[in-house]
Amino acid sequence: MVRGLLNKLVSRSLSVAGQWQQQQLRRLNIHEYQGAELMGKYGVNVPRGVAVSSVDEVRKAIRDVFPNESELVVKSQILAGGRGLGTFKSGLKGGVHIVKADQVEDLAGKMLGQILVTKQTGPQGKVVSKVYLCEKLSLVNEMYFAITLDRNTAGPLIIGCSKGGTSIEDLAEKYPDMIVKAPIDIFKGITDEDAAKVVDGLAPKVADRNDAIEQVKKLYELFCKTDCTLLEINPLAETSDKQLVAADAKLNFDDNAAFRHKEIFALRDPSQEDPREVAAAKADLNYIGLDGEIGCMVNGAGLAMATMDIIKLHGGTPANFLDVGGNASENQVVEAFKILTSDEKVKAILVNIFGGIMKCDVIASGIVNAAKQVALKVPVVVRLEGTNVDQGKRILKESGMTLITAEDLDDAAEKAVKALGI
């Protein structure tokens, strides 16, 4: 939920082909049950819970972990928000339920292996491979808490709201004065004054103020020591026994820190990610999947952005952002073509290369080899300029491939859109 709010609080978007698209960051996203376990290790109060992946495990968990509980919370685990208001493709409404203990097994069985569609998953939804069984807490107040990275202050930013459990974007829109923001000096770390400012903004009703301050400091410690890019708790709740509890857990981590957090990065769940982006990451390609019809392969992020903008200008829509970089190998070009052609929505491919460090003949050889390995069923428009351009054009010509050549970027975009037949 924090994503929409942070688009306003922290500039973290990019303009793609005339539309605002969320910038994909190279970051690890883990499930709620994994985040709760990690929070517990840092002394953060979390509900007692266990993740299960089969009905047999559900029975065992109820018997061993919750023998005396009359009610439990059953939470579907997918890497997307909006689960509570989501709908399973099977017809079951809601990905989060509070039910009697004797109904947990039946409900979990209806969730496991099914596809849950939420406002963040898109219509394709995501498969539920695990459900998280938690004790039902007696909550007296719900608040919102998050820590993210703020480019404006070049450090962590704590965001809080005295209302929680619902969309933070809606709360920020309706009650902007209820949002508290506390930038933290990365060199000094969080002070008691910083933590107190956050707690006072959250305005807890029953929790001890000093205990709440300590919980905020522990959350900040977790954020820094594990190289988080986002820590979000919605709701951060108060219980009837006056405890401050993280009743939800959303954690993202900086991929650049993977080398020093191997145990955390081992938690990655590729089944929840866009398979195109997983394949691109393995090939060390910069790829972001979009929803258009023209697949793009470009060298250089700036040129890739310009290519998508000009496609849009001519009435088309880009299917992706794909920057092969300035030193791509022939094999990487082949992998790039495999990713583009695996997208059923792609009806044409535009290759736009301005060779500097990247040599046009390498790109051309990659295109030819890719055509031998994958069935090219869509038109391919190629614009090559720069280093070894003549060799590149000769390789393409001698390959016997049916290609549409272009003289410049504008010409290439126009021909790619025309190839769609629109």
Side-chain angles (χ1 to χ4, degrees):
M1 282 188 231
V2 74
R3 291 292 176 198
L5 174 62
L6 294 184
N7 283 340
K8 300 174 184 178
L9 299 178
V10 182
S11 177
R12 197 180 258 187
S13 297
L14 65 105
S15 179
V16 175
Q19 296 180 345
W20 284 101
Q21 297 282 348
Q22 183 61 46
Q23 181 179 5
Q24 184 200 32
L25 303 177
R26 292 297 184 189
R27 53 175 173 72
L28 170 70
N29 187 6
I30 63 174
H31 288 287
E32 175 191 3
Y33 74 92
Q34 296 167 328
E37 183 178 352
L38 189 58
M39 286 182 179
K41 291 179 180 178
Y42 278 80
V44 177
N45 299 328
V46 295
R48 185 160 46 95
V50 61
V52 294
S53 55
S54 69
V55 173
D56 287 342
E57 290 182 5
V58 173
R59 295 193 196 102
K60 187 176 187 301
I62 294 174
R63 182 180 67 247
D64 298 344
V65 183
F66 306 106
N68 301 315
E69 299 289 339
S70 60
E71 289 184 304
L72 291 174
V73 184
V74 183
K75 298 183 174 184
S76 55
Q77 296 294 284
I78 61 171
L79 295 181
R83 292 171 297 162
L85 297 177
T87 301
F88 286 88
K89 287 191 174 182
S90 63
L92 177 66
K93 302 290 185 182
V96 178
H97 291 264
I98 300 175
V99 295
K100 300 292 184 182
D102 59 4
Q103 298 173 338
V104 171
E105 183 180 328
D106 179 62
L107 178 62
K110 292 178 180 178
M111 290 181 171
L112 287 167
Q114 299 299 313
I115 295 174
L116 178 61
V117 179
T118 76
K119 62 180 181 181
Q120 291 188 12
T121 64
Q124 72 278 8
K126 289 183 181 292
V127 66
V128 176
S129 299
K130 286 183 180 288
V131 296
Y132 189 32
L133 308 181
C134 297
E135 62 176 323
K136 179 180 177 291
L137 300 175
S138 176
L139 305 183
V140 298
N141 187 30
E142 296 185 355
M143 300 158 287
Y144 175 89
F145 180 91
I147 309 177
T148 187
L149 295 174
D150 183 5
R151 289 180 178 176
N152 293 330
T153 59
L157 177 70
I158 300 180
I159 303 169
C161 183
S162 56
K163 288 186 178 293
T166 57
S167 169
I168 188 62
E169 294 92 339
D170 293 341
L171 291 172
E173 188 75 26
K174 295 178 182 177
Y175 311 107
D177 293 341
M178 298 179 69
I179 305 294
V180 58
K181 293 181 287 181
I184 307 299
D185 187 320
I186 192 66
F187 298 105
K188 294 181 181 178
I190 190 168
T191 64
D192 289 341
E193 291 75 17
D194 293 328
K197 176 183 177 181
V198 174
V199 170
D200 291 342
L202 293 172
K205 296 179 179 178
V206 298
D208 180 80
R209 184 173 182 269
N210 290 331
D211 288 346
I213 287 173
E214 288 304 311
Q215 285 289 296
V216 169
K217 291 166 70 175
K218 288 176 180 178
L219 286 165
Y220 180 81
E221 179 187 14
L222 165 63
F223 182 88
C224 292
K225 287 190 174 180
T226 61
D227 290 290
C228 283
T229 56
L230 172 68
L231 183 156
E232 183 185 29
I233 303 171
N234 191 18
L236 178 65
E238 291 181 274
T239 62
S240 56
D241 58 355
K242 300 182 180 181
Q243 292 292 309
L244 196 64
V245 177
D248 186 30
K250 179 176 176 60
L251 297 171
N252 293 167
F253 305 87
D254 187 346
D255 278 4
N256 292 308
F259 71 96
R260 60 187 177 206
H261 298 298
K262 290 182 172 59
E263 72 289 349
I264 293 177
F265 279 78
L267 303 176
R268 182 183 179 193
D269 184 357
S271 70
Q272 293 286 308
E273 302 173 22
D274 185 328
R276 299 171 300 175
E277 294 179 5
V278 173
K282 288 180 180 178
D284 199 22
L285 296 167
N286 297 310
Y287 179 94
I288 302 174
L290 302 173
D291 296 321
E293 296 180 310
I294 299 177
C296 305
M297 185 171 75
V298 190
N299 69 312
L303 186 60
M305 298 290 287
T307 300
M308 292 188 289
D309 284 339
I310 293 180
I311 287 172
K312 188 71 176 180
L313 183 66
H314 284 282
T317 51
N320 62 275
F321 168 98
L322 174 54
D323 169 20
V324 298
N327 195 30
S329 67
E330 189 175 308
N331 286 337
Q332 284 177 298
V333 176
V334 171
E335 289 303 313
F337 251 86
K338 288 181 179 179
I339 293 167
L340 294 179
T341 55
S342 69
D343 189 341
E344 295 180 353
K345 294 191 292 290
V346 170
K347 306 302 180 187
I349 294 174
L350 171 55
V351 180
N352 183 26
I353 302 297
F354 188 85
I357 300 173
M358 186 72 250
K359 297 177 176 62
C360 293
D361 57 321
V362 174
I363 293 290
S365 296
I367 293 174
V368 173
N369 285 332
K372 294 177 181 177
Q373 298 182 38
V374 299
L376 286 177
K377 299 178 181 179
V378 298
V380 179
V381 180
V382 181
R383 180 254 182 165
L384 297 177
E385 284 295 342
T387 305
N388 294 351
V389 64
D390 292 334
Q391 295 97 309
K393 289 181 177 179
R394 185 174 66 250
I395 291 169
L396 292 176
K397 184 177 181 180
E398 294 174 354
S399 70
M401 293 176 61
T402 303
L403 300 172
I404 302 171
T405 59
E407 295 302 318
D408 55 39
L409 176 52
D410 195 59
D411 182 41
E414 187 174 358
K415 287 179 176 178
V417 174
K418 186 177 180 180
L420 295 175
I422 60 176

